[in-house]
Amino acid sequence: MDLSGLDPIIEAIRSGVSVGVRGTRSRTVPITGVQPDTWVGAPVGVIDFQPDEMTVRVRAGTSIAELSSELGTRGQFVHGIDSGVGTVGGALACGRSGLHRLGRGSIRDVALEVRLIDHRGNLVKAGGPTVKNVSGFDLCRLFVGSFGVLGFAHEFVLRTRPRPLAECWFVAPVSEAEEVARIQRGFYRPSSILWDGREVHLCLTGHPSDIDAQIAGSRFSWQPVGAPEVPTDWRQGTVRPADVASIVEREAGRVIAQVGTGTIHRPGPSARREEQPERRGIVHRLLAEFNPRRLLNPHVDTESL
Amino acid sequence: MTLIHDLTAGLPAGAVTIDRVDTMLYAHDASDFVGRTGAVCFPETTEQVCHVVRTCAKHDVPFVARGSGTGLAGGATPLDGAVVIVLTRMNRILEIDPINRMAWVEPGVLNLDLTRGVEQSDDLFGLHFAPDPSSQQSCTIGGNVANNSGGPHCLADGVTSAHVLACEVVLSDGSIVLLGSEGSEDDGLDLRGAFVGSEGMFGIATKICVRLTQNPPHVRTMLLDFESVRAGADTVGAIIAAGIVPAALEMMDKLCLQAVEAYIHAGLPVDAAAVLLVEVTGLPHQVEAEADLIARIGREKGARHVRVAQDEAERALLWKGRKTAFGAIARIKPNYYLHDTVVPRGALPEVLDRIYEIARRHELLVLNVFHAGDGNLHPLLVFDRREPGVLDRVHAAGEEIVRVSVEAGGVLSGEHGIGLEKKDFMPLLFDDHDLSAQIAVRHAFDPIGLANPRKVLPSPAACGDLRHVPEGAWI
Ligand SMILES: Cc1cc2nc3c(=O)[nH]c(=O)nc-3n(C[C@H](O)[C@H](O)[C@H](O)COP(=O)(O)OP(=O)(O)OC[C@H]3O[C@@H](n4cnc5c(N)ncnc54)[C@H](O)[C@@H]3O)c2cc1C
Ligand SMILES: Cc1cc2nc3c(=O)[nH]c(=O)nc-3n(C[C@H](O)[C@H](O)[C@H](O)COP(=O)(O)OP(=O)(O)OC[C@H]3O[C@@H](n4cnc5c(N)ncnc54)[C@H](O)[C@@H]3O)c2cc1C
């Protein structure tokens, strides 16, 4: 393994000052206001793409664009890391699954192996390179969404998957929660259902004839549209999926809900979850083990983790 | 006050036993490891689980959560007189939300009972719980969560972790914590993700929120037979490379086929070196296109026949062959030892050759029936325990199989877990820094170390020196 690019990061960590790791800083992360003494970046490059294994070994600082174009040559992609600005390490550290969470599952499931530099400057490996693995505890899922406070990632093995034959977005006017539930029950494993209280955006993937047949069999007046976008300054929050209907009805036009998953996008900051002391206890002990002096990413507000 | 007295004080009558037959019964799971049981408790509520766990903390006695005891790695085997907490009386489906496709269940609900309980839900397609271990008639959801279990249909839909939204967990100090939430994307550390697969060492799951999956409206099940194992294995890689992720992609080798055919008479091609059982599911156009492409790839790679199940009865028969393999094997020899390594798909032919060679050298019979689609091998060494010295040969062969798999770029376990069985193999995959990180996570969840101790992580003395039987257990 080529570890040469890691020396500066290891040195920075071992020097005893506080260190931040950044990708392209495109991400809004919860901020404390404390700035690290030094910034480092992760090494770059796709190391090994194995289309018949559906895995790719990639360095953490690789841009999402570079990874996508490499995987695209064989019609594959990594869910949650397939478009937009930023780095692979940044995307995984933030752990957002994107608008296709309903059909494609969580970005937390894509990291098979994570290689980290810990707070002592030691190299730590979690997980393994195969698509299935229960050897030891699942530290990979703990890294995804950790905003880099448990260690700095330098390399990943990620699960890839084939692109669907077709991916089509449709829109229909829908203002009643009952109707949304009908859509949820009546379509086969849609990739995404977005609702703002006025219209539903629906994404279907697979064979074009199957998509046509599903749309033709639906009693809603679906129109094909381009992929919708959530305004970049909106913030994401999570609610009980069963509460989505009442929230959207109340806030129609000022909210976009990912129906079935409970993810809600709003213009302002979302309410913090109610925190239980027992959960905080575990988080604090994890931080005490993995970041005891808070020298790794001190700018990240760990109270929201 | 004695431990038993304190335990009894907070549980219904008859929910604690130290009877000799019971303690022996609960001294092991489905593996060969036998431990020593301090007491067996059968709580019916989360509060009662808390009581047992708090009592264990008070007496500084370890506890072991147990579902149905079908685990194959010794995970539920109690060591050092641990209290076994049997969760099978907590077996209610609490709440089903068919629209958002989720359900809250108690940990003792059996895997197949969950699917039976939700399949009539109000959804155009019907619903099920996707992870389908071969033991699904008897294993519990709590056990599935603790072992992050898989099954034939996890190739496309993912293993247990992808189907668990939240867990209510009793920690080793008796406190209750909710990990994860019904909304699938909380910001913050994924403590739920870390808990799944923690083999009972982070705490006890007392309520689980699972994701439900729509049943596929259209299914094609096909059997492809080959003159060489290599041709079958090559076909697996070619199917994946063609952009198809079948719902299931299983392989059986010749000896296994012969055993199964003698058992169920399904007209299986017993002269083939290997067969692939492939299932594609979904909407009709996609399924038919994929089935055609798989048949074409198979023939290009040397399949002699492609048998496509013509109706539900034939499909059930083909699956029966796969699912009864374990029963069929009992007709060859009374005992078997099942391994569970994973290798990259591309390494399947070489590793299978090595496995045959290892078995031959140790004068053992080996049958292979496994999840080929994700490279998850299940070599079954069959033997008769009464034969002098045979267990030593079985263990020596097993150790070589594990080493060969790791050398080929693989891992120790795909779905059965590490438990007692493979904990001293962990240094083959992980160095001291890697293992320290795992110890640190366990410590964060269980600082007092009473939840199922001495599993998964290697015994300090055993690094590099691979022993199979931990102190306090016997085979
Ligand atoms: C306004 C805006 C909104 C966006 N919204 C979404 C969205 O909703 N969903 C989505 O999928 N994408 C979104 N993106 C794309 C997002 O930028 C990417 O996910 C990107 O990968 C983030 O990477 P980055 O390199 O810019 O990370 P940065 O912003 O540089 O870093 C983000 C966090 O990750 C940590 N980090 C970075 N690298 C590492 C590493 N190697 N090891 C450990 N920690 C590390 C950082 O310390 C920081 O805490 C959005 C982008 C923008 C500009
Ligand atoms: C014939 C046969 C076929 C099998 N096929 C498969 C297969 O296809 N795929 C597969 O993955 N496995 C398979 N297994 C293994 C086994 O069935 C699974 O590991 C199963 O999930 C164990 O469930 P259980 O209820 O029997 O758990 P147990 O064996 O009782 O316990 C397993 C582990 O989980 C812990 N545990 C149990 N309940 C809880 C809880 N509520 N909270 C915390 N920890 C808990 C225990 O401490 C132990 O470490 C098979 C086993 C047999 C005997």
Side-chain angles (χ1 to χ4, degrees):
Chain A
M1 198 186 0
D2 173 17
L3 296 174
S4 54
L6 303 184
D7 288 344
I9 311 178
I10 293 173
E11 250 166 56
I13 292 175
R14 289 199 174 150
S15 71
V17 301
S18 65
V19 190
V21 60
R22 61 180 165 210
T24 57
R25 296 183 94 169
S26 63
R27 263 303 186 168
T28 326
V29 299
I31 292 289
T32 53
V34 181
Q35 282 299 309
D37 296 321
T38 337
W39 286 100
V40 294
V44 298
V46 176
I47 300 172
D48 185 23
F49 171 35
Q50 296 279 348
D52 356 350
E53 304 293 340
M54 291 200 297
T55 60
V56 61
R57 185 179 287 279
V58 59
R59 294 199 181 91
T62 309
S63 73
I64 294 175
E66 181 185 343
L67 178 68
S68 306
S69 84
E70 172 87 24
L71 301 184
T73 58
R74 298 294 300 270
Q76 296 191 5
F77 72 109
V78 176
H79 162 51
I81 318 187
D82 58 331
S83 66
V85 285
T87 63
V88 174
L92 286 164
C94 294
R96 293 282 164 94
S97 306
L99 297 182
H100 294 276
R101 172 72 180 82
L102 181 65
R104 291 184 189 158
S106 172
I107 189 174
R108 306 207 193 250
D109 297 335
V110 308
L112 302 170
E113 179 182 300
V114 179
R115 287 175 184 259
L116 298 168
I117 305 171
D118 75 4
H119 69 100
R120 298 187 184 88
N122 292 328
L123 301 180
V124 172
K125 180 184 79 174
T130 54
V131 290
K132 199 171 180 190
N133 182 13
V134 292
S135 314
F137 303 134
D138 195 341
L139 273 56
C140 292
R141 284 195 172 74
L142 212 46
F143 173 83
V144 180
S146 69
F147 292 109
V149 296
L150 302 179
F152 293 171
H154 63 93
E155 193 175 301
F156 302 99
V157 177
L158 304 175
R159 179 197 302 279
T160 65
R161 60 173 91 187
R163 282 225 170 269
L165 285 178
E167 175 179 310
C168 304
W169 282 94
F170 301 90
V171 66
V174 181
S175 53
E176 301 288 322
E178 287 277 298
E179 305 279 87
V180 178
R182 194 161 289 143
I183 293 168
Q184 285 179 272
R185 287 195 301 256
F187 281 91
Y188 183 67
R189 304 195 190 182
S191 191
S192 188
I193 303 173
L194 306 178
W195 188 40
D196 64 2
R198 293 167 184 160
E199 44 189 30
V200 164
H201 279 78
L202 169 75
C203 183
L204 300 178
T205 60
H207 196 288
S209 310
D210 290 325
I211 296 177
D212 292 347
Q214 286 217 77
I215 289 294
S218 167
R219 57 179 203 76
F220 293 86
S221 47
W222 298 107
Q223 295 299 320
V225 281
E229 276 176 23
V230 176
T232 50
D233 54 347
W234 284 29
R235 295 285 162 260
Q236 174 176 322
T238 302
V239 300
R240 287 181 68 219
D243 295 340
V244 161
S246 59
I247 291 173
V248 175
E249 279 177 340
R250 202 171 57 227
E251 300 176 31
R254 291 171 289 124
V255 62
I256 298 173
Q258 292 180 229
V259 176
T261 72
T263 303
I264 297 258
H265 304 262
R266 291 192 177 101
S270 54
R272 280 197 175 181
R273 92 177 116 218
E274 285 168 43
E275 194 52 289
Q276 322 158 61
E278 293 78 14
R279 186 183 178 280
R280 287 259 36 97
I282 300 173
V283 172
H284 282 148
R285 286 193 292 276
L286 280 170
L287 289 168
E289 298 276 356
F290 286 90
N291 200 352
R293 292 190 294 148
R294 293 291 292 117
L295 293 178
L296 300 184
N297 271 4
H299 60 291
V300 175
D301 174 13
T302 52
E303 286 310 304
S304 61
L305 290 182
Chain B
M1 289 293 171
T2 63
L3 172 70
I4 303 309
H5 184 276
D6 282 349
L7 286 172
T8 311
L11 292 175
V16 187
T17 167
I18 46 167
D19 174 80
R20 210 176 67 88
V21 176
D22 288 332
T23 51
M24 281 189 38
L25 189 63
Y26 290 101
H28 60 88
D29 57 9
S31 74
D32 277 347
F33 298 101
V34 183
R36 187 168 62 80
T37 317
V40 188
C41 301
F42 302 89
E44 290 166 17
T45 63
T46 300
E47 264 318 307
Q48 292 173 12
V49 173
C50 292
H51 166 74
V52 175
V53 167
R54 260 188 244 119
T55 307
C56 287
K58 176 178 164 199
H59 290 268
D60 197 25
V61 171
F63 61 86
V64 181
R66 180 185 174 103
S68 300
T70 66
L72 292 163
T77 298
L79 299 177
D80 311 314
V83 172
V84 177
I85 303 176
V86 183
L87 295 147
T88 46
R89 289 188 187 170
M90 294 177 67
N91 60 356
R92 290 173 305 159
I93 297 177
L94 301 170
E95 202 183 309
I96 302 171
D97 175 352
I99 296 173
N100 295 296
R101 296 185 200 123
M102 60 182 64
W104 278 100
V105 303
E106 291 184 327
V109 171
L110 300 184
N111 176 296
L112 201 55
D113 287 348
L114 172 53
T115 284
R116 291 201 180 116
V118 300
E119 64 194 352
Q120 300 301 330
S121 297
D122 181 20
D123 184 281
L124 185 60
F125 302 94
L127 300 173
H128 70 287
F129 180 60
D132 62 337
S134 310
S135 51
Q136 71 184 146
Q137 290 186 343
S138 39
C139 63
T140 64
I141 301 299
N144 297 167
V145 168
N147 282 355
N148 195 10
S149 301
H153 289 88
C154 290
L155 178 59
D157 287 337
V159 295
T160 300
S161 189
H163 303 279
V164 173
L165 294 165
C167 297
E168 177 192 85
V169 173
V170 175
L171 299 173
S172 63
D173 62 358
S175 60
I176 303 171
V177 60
L178 180 69
L179 307 177
S181 74
E182 292 177 18
S184 44
E185 195 151 279
D186 268 336
D187 267 350
L189 298 180
D190 186 11
L191 303 185
R192 169 216 64 92
F195 182 82
V196 177
S198 61
E199 302 199 28
M201 294 177 71
F202 288 6
I204 301 186
T206 46
K207 256 191 229 166
I208 299 155
C209 182
V210 295
R211 221 159 64 89
L212 303 172
T213 303
Q214 285 176 315
N215 297 340
H218 201 75
V219 178
R220 275 269 173 258
T221 307
M222 45 219 278
L223 193 77
L224 289 71
D225 67 83
F226 298 89
E227 276 172 4
S228 73
V229 171
R230 180 170 292 264
D234 284 347
T235 305
V236 172
I239 291 171
I240 303 285
I244 302 173
V245 183
L249 179 43
E250 303 280 305
M251 188 186 258
M252 274 195 268
D253 70 0
K254 183 174 204 143
L255 211 49
C256 186
L257 270 174
Q258 289 173 343
V260 167
E261 179 59 18
Y263 193 53
I264 64 161
H265 313 291
L268 298 174
V270 286
D271 56 335
V275 299
L276 286 180
L277 179 66
V278 192
E279 187 158 277
V280 280
T281 65
L283 295 167
H285 290 97
Q286 173 107 16
V287 167
E288 292 308 327
E290 288 184 345
D292 288 348
L293 187 54
I294 288 168
R296 205 162 69 226
I297 292 170
R299 289 200 185 89
E300 275 166 26
K301 296 284 174 192
R304 300 182 312 177
H305 308 95
V306 177
R307 173 174 168 186
V308 181
Q310 295 304 312
D311 50 32
E312 189 47 37
E314 193 177 357
R315 170 176 180 253
L317 190 64
L318 294 181
W319 272 109
K320 191 172 172 201
R322 167 64 181 87
K323 293 205 166 174
T324 52
F326 293 94
I329 283 157
R331 294 161 58 108
I332 308 181
K333 298 258 180 171
N335 308 104
Y336 66 75
Y337 199 114
L338 172 60
H339 277 275
D340 170 47
T341 61
V342 188
V343 299
R345 295 178 186 95
L348 280 175
E350 281 75 19
V351 173
L352 284 166
D353 281 348
R354 295 284 301 275
I355 290 172
Y356 291 125
E357 183 271 321
I358 290 166
R360 216 166 24 244
R361 198 154 28 74
H362 290 280
E363 296 172 31
L364 293 166
L365 278 180
V366 64
L367 287 76
N368 285 287
V369 44
F370 63 100
H371 312 307
D374 37 31
N376 189 182
L377 290 163
H378 279 348
L380 273 152
L381 298 165
V382 291
F383 60 98
D384 185 341
R385 192 186 276 284
R386 291 164 301 188
E387 217 180 282
V390 72
L391 269 179
D392 291 339
R393 298 203 321 270
V394 167
H395 289 300
E399 178 169 334
E400 284 188 47
I401 289 172
V402 171
R403 285 181 183 282
V404 161
S405 302
V406 173
E407 277 163 24
V411 298
L412 302 175
S413 176
E415 53 184 26
H416 298 166
I418 300 296
L420 286 173
E421 186 200 21
K422 288 194 175 135
K423 65 183 204 137
D424 289 335
F425 289 110
M426 287 283 276
L428 291 180
L429 274 192
F430 298 112
D431 70 16
D432 287 351
H433 294 316
D434 308 339
L435 290 169
S436 305
Q438 302 209 17
I439 292 167
V441 177
R442 144 108 159 126
H443 189 251
F445 279 86
D446 178 14
I448 55 175
L450 290 183
N452 206 9
R454 300 212 280 134
K455 309 283 172 72
V456 181
L457 301 163
S459 352
C463 296
D465 155 33
L466 301 175
R467 292 175 313 162
H468 295 284
V469 190
E471 272 172 60
W474 47 280
I475 290 186

